[in-house]
């Protein structure tokens, strides 16, 4: 999961105009109580835009808390296949890069960087994306460096949306999109994908066209896709591009349907499909903001360095926002990544590059998890990219005690509570990734974990399915 820092989110919230009147505040005389009352501030206008009014726990906070709560009950702790972060350190060359940056003697290596990005990093990004896009990318006018990809997405949305603008989300979708669109003043419009006979998620051209209205301003294309692991093929992306192109023929300049390409898992493709940069397709470069980061690639999700790459007329509004959100991303981290992105092209662990080794490593881990799920009577859907396998847990629902079926949450959510509490395996329900409750109980399992953790999870799931057969 991508994490936002408290500071820039608070600043962004303050900068946004309220959509609804603030709740009335009643001034009361101070009272002396034992114990004292806990003060709870009424949610702000920005918080009220969020799902649950900004006061309800998210799926991430609930299952992170649950994992900590039940950890001591199980020998060796819980097997946490929930949030998408590796449970190992970055590779040695990445840690060495950070050590070099932290040991820099010049003052400039430790002070504020340029708000839009440290020039050594933006230069590397411009050169690399120039190859991806088959054009020259200006490191100063067409790149913006952010505090992680989550901030990059929010900045891109704030920079492009007007109040009431619609954002089209192929569904299922990463749940944070909904809150970010709301913070930026927009409205989400789902374009539901369906699962074909082979278990592959498909976005039909008819569905996408039906989701577009005159108020549509942004289409988010997430490939490799979270939560499904889908990697959109070139043919599928060309279909999306054709729909966007057709829509923009009927629009005036400045009112085009834009695309945000969320490509944070671009180097984690472990199936037959290879990653295609959406902005590299004909006519798409001029209307696309490409978002990515280093955390997933280098197993360093806590470094929180992300970026946006795109045409000057779309990047400059993003750059204008950055000083008001965080002023700059950490300079030593940016310097380290400027070295690591290119160093990763070198041979690594017997593979042509670190990037090739990464894909091979996750290909094996995905296979291990998919086989474990199959053995446990969970139907794994195909995954070709990212950290996750989505599984249908219908065959195990009969085991779930009635106490978990309170009717307050979807079946997949109740199943995940039971799985963590009584069986020591943490996973994430898929219902938060849908507008309405999904038609079957789907659960997202992360395989960006050590072989030991995957083995423990496999054993516990297998024991669970064995008890189901006994019954």
């Amino acid at each position: 999961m991508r994490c936002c820092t408290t500071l820039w989110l608070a600043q962004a919230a303050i900068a946004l105009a309220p959509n609804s009147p603030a709740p009335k505040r009643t001034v009361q005389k101070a009272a002396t109580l034992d114990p004292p009352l806990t003060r709870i501030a009424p949610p702000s206008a920005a918080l009220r835009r969020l799902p649950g009014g900004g006061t309800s726990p998210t799926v991430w906070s609930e299952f992170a808390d649950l994992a900590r709560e039940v950890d001591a009950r199980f020998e060796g702790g819980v097997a946490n296949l929930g949030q998408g972060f590796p449970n190992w350190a970055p590779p040695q060359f990445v840690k060495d890069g950070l050590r070099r940056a932290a040991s820099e003697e010049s003052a400039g290596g430790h002070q504020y960087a340029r708000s839009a990005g440290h020039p050594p990093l933006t230069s590397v990004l411009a050169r690399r994306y120039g190859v991806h896009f088959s054009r020259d990318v200006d490191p100063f006018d067409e790149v913006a460096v952010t505090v992680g990809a989550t901030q990059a997405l929010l900045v891109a949305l704030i920079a492009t949306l007007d109040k009431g603008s619609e954002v089209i989300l192929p569904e299922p979708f990463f749940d944070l999109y909904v809150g970010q669109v709301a913070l930026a003043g927009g409205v989400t419009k789902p374009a539901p994908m369906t699962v074909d006979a082979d278990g592959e998620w498909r976005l039909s051209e008819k569905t996408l066209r039906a989701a577009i209205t005159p108020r549509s301003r942004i289409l988010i294309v997430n490939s490799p896709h979270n939560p499904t692991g889908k990697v959109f093929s070139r043919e599928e992306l060309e279909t999306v591009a054709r729909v966007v192109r057709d829509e923009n023929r009927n629009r005036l300049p400045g009112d085009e349907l834009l695309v945000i390409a969320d490509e944070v898992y671009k180097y984690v493709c472990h199936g037959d499909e290879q990653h295609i940069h959406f902005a590299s397709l004909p006519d798409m470069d001029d209307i696309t903001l490409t978002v990515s980061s280093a955390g997933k690639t280098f197993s360093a999700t806590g470094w929180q360095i992300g970026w946006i790459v795109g045409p000057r007329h779309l990047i400059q509004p993003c750059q204008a926002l950055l000083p008001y959100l965080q002023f700059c991303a950490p300079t030593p981290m940016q310097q380290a990544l400027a070295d690591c992105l290119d160093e990763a092209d070198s041979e690594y662990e017997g593979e042509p590059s670190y990037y090739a080794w990464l894909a091979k490593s996750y290909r094996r881990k995905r296979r291990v998890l998919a086989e474990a799920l199959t053995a446990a009577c969970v139907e794994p859907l195909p995954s070709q990219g990212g950290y996750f396998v989505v599984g249908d847990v219908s065959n195990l629902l009969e085991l779930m005690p009635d106490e978990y079926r309170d009717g307050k949450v979807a079946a997949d959510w109740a199943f995940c509570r039971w799985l963590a509490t009584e069986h020591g395996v943490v996973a994430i329900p898929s219902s938060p990734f849908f507008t309405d409750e999904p038609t079957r109980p789907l659960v997202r399992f992360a395989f960006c974990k050590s072989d030991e953790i995957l083995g423990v999870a496999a054993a516990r799931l297998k024991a669970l399915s064995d008890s189901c057969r006994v019954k």
Side-chain angles (χ1 to χ4, degrees):
M1 163 195 169
R2 311 179 188 99
C3 301
C4 323
T5 60
T6 302
L7 175 60
W8 65 257
L9 183 57
Q11 290 171 323
I14 292 170
L16 296 167
N19 279 340
S20 55
K24 185 176 181 180
R25 291 172 168 81
T26 303
V27 179
Q28 297 179 332
K29 293 183 178 180
T32 302
L33 297 175
D34 187 19
L37 287 173
T38 300
R39 295 181 63 191
I40 301 176
S44 68
L47 283 174
R48 293 197 301 277
R49 299 181 191 178
L50 296 175
T55 60
S56 301
T58 66
V59 65
W60 312 109
S61 61
E62 173 173 331
F63 284 94
D65 290 345
L66 184 57
R68 287 190 292 269
E69 178 184 328
V70 304
D71 189 66
R73 300 181 191 174
F74 301 93
E75 183 177 354
V78 297
N80 194 339
L81 309 186
Q83 287 182 261
F85 60 86
N87 65 327
W88 56 78
Q92 190 62 46
F93 75 91
V94 175
K95 293 185 289 186
D96 289 344
L98 183 56
R99 289 190 184 97
R100 287 194 302 271
S103 300
E104 174 61 48
E105 294 297 333
S106 70
H110 301 277
Q111 309 308 322
Y112 293 132
R114 172 175 167 267
S115 290
H118 193 37
L121 178 57
T122 60
S123 296
V124 170
L125 291 171
R127 173 168 46 78
R128 296 180 71 88
Y129 277 90
V131 175
H132 300 325
F133 297 167
S134 300
R135 71 170 180 86
D136 290 336
V137 174
D138 190 295
F140 293 98
D141 292 338
E142 296 185 306
V143 180
V145 176
T146 59
V147 179
T150 297
Q151 190 194 47
L153 286 161
L154 182 59
V155 167
L157 290 166
I158 295 175
T160 52
L161 294 181
D162 289 324
K163 182 179 178 181
S165 297
E166 292 177 351
V167 178
I168 301 167
L169 302 177
E171 185 182 53
F173 43 75
F174 184 52
D175 68 313
L176 291 187
Y177 292 158
V178 175
Q180 290 189 320
V181 169
L183 284 173
V187 178
T188 54
K189 190 80 177 291
M193 294 193 287
T194 57
V195 178
D196 66 15
D198 296 322
E200 296 281 356
W201 292 89
R202 302 294 183 190
L203 175 62
S204 76
E205 180 174 348
K206 180 180 179 181
T207 296
L208 181 57
R209 289 187 185 276
I212 298 173
T213 76
R215 296 194 65 82
S216 300
R217 179 58 169 162
I218 295 288
L219 165 64
I220 295 183
V221 177
N222 176 206
S223 180
H225 185 265
N226 181 6
T228 67
K230 177 181 177 60
V231 176
F232 285 78
S233 68
R234 179 177 290 276
E235 181 181 2
E236 289 174 311
L237 291 176
E238 286 176 344
T239 297
V240 173
R242 181 171 65 249
V243 172
V244 173
R245 193 182 301 117
D246 290 348
E247 173 66 19
N248 285 338
R249 287 195 182 102
N250 300 317
R251 296 195 178 200
L252 296 173
D255 187 43
E256 296 93 344
L257 176 63
L258 306 177
V259 174
I260 295 177
D262 181 353
E263 300 179 354
V264 296
Y265 293 103
K266 59 181 280 187
Y267 286 116
V268 191
C269 290
H270 37 72
D272 296 331
E273 296 291 348
Q274 296 301 307
H275 176 67
I276 304 296
H277 292 85
F278 189 82
S280 69
L281 300 177
D283 304 322
M284 294 299 103
D285 177 70
D286 200 49
I287 59 163
T288 300
L289 288 169
T290 299
V291 168
S292 194
S293 72
K296 309 296 186 183
T297 301
F298 294 118
S299 302
T301 58
W303 281 30
Q304 287 293 280
I305 300 294
W307 51 81
I308 315 170
V309 181
R312 180 180 287 103
H313 66 279
L314 296 180
I315 288 292
Q316 287 187 338
C318 297
Q319 292 181 343
L321 284 167
L322 289 176
Y324 297 96
L325 300 180
Q326 90 281 330
F327 193 79
C328 71
T331 306
M333 299 293 194
Q334 294 192 65
Q335 181 60 56
L337 288 173
D339 297 335
C340 295
L341 284 166
D342 282 344
E343 192 170 349
D345 287 322
S346 302
E347 184 177 343
Y348 185 83
E349 298 290 334
E351 297 298 325
S353 69
Y354 168 77
Y355 301 118
W357 173 87
L358 185 73
K360 181 179 180 180
S361 174
Y362 278 118
R363 186 175 303 117
R364 182 184 64 81
K365 287 183 178 293
R366 177 206 64 198
R367 184 176 63 250
V368 168
L369 177 59
E371 290 175 353
L373 293 175
T374 299
C377 294
V378 175
E379 178 192 350
L381 276 64
S383 170
Q384 298 203 49
Y387 284 171
F388 313 109
V389 170
V390 171
D392 186 329
V393 299
S394 297
N395 294 329
L396 297 180
L397 286 184
E398 64 179 24
L399 280 173
M400 188 168 62
D402 290 340
E403 64 192 84
Y404 290 90
R405 306 173 191 270
D406 59 8
K408 296 179 181 178
V409 295
D412 62 326
W413 199 304
F415 175 87
C416 288
R417 285 177 174 174
W418 172 63
L419 186 66
T421 301
E422 298 193 20
H423 300 282
V425 178
V426 177
I428 297 296
S430 71
S431 49
F433 306 129
F434 290 84
T435 305
D436 300 313
E437 185 174 342
T439 56
R440 55 178 175 162
L442 300 174
V443 172
R444 195 194 77 171
F445 298 87
F447 54 84
C448 52
K449 307 298 177 181
S450 66
D451 290 350
E452 179 183 7
I453 294 295
L454 292 176
V456 170
R460 292 174 180 173
L461 287 168
K462 181 67 163 55
L464 180 59
S465 69
D466 285 346
S467 63
C468 179
R469 291 192 183 98
V470 169
K471 286 194 170 187

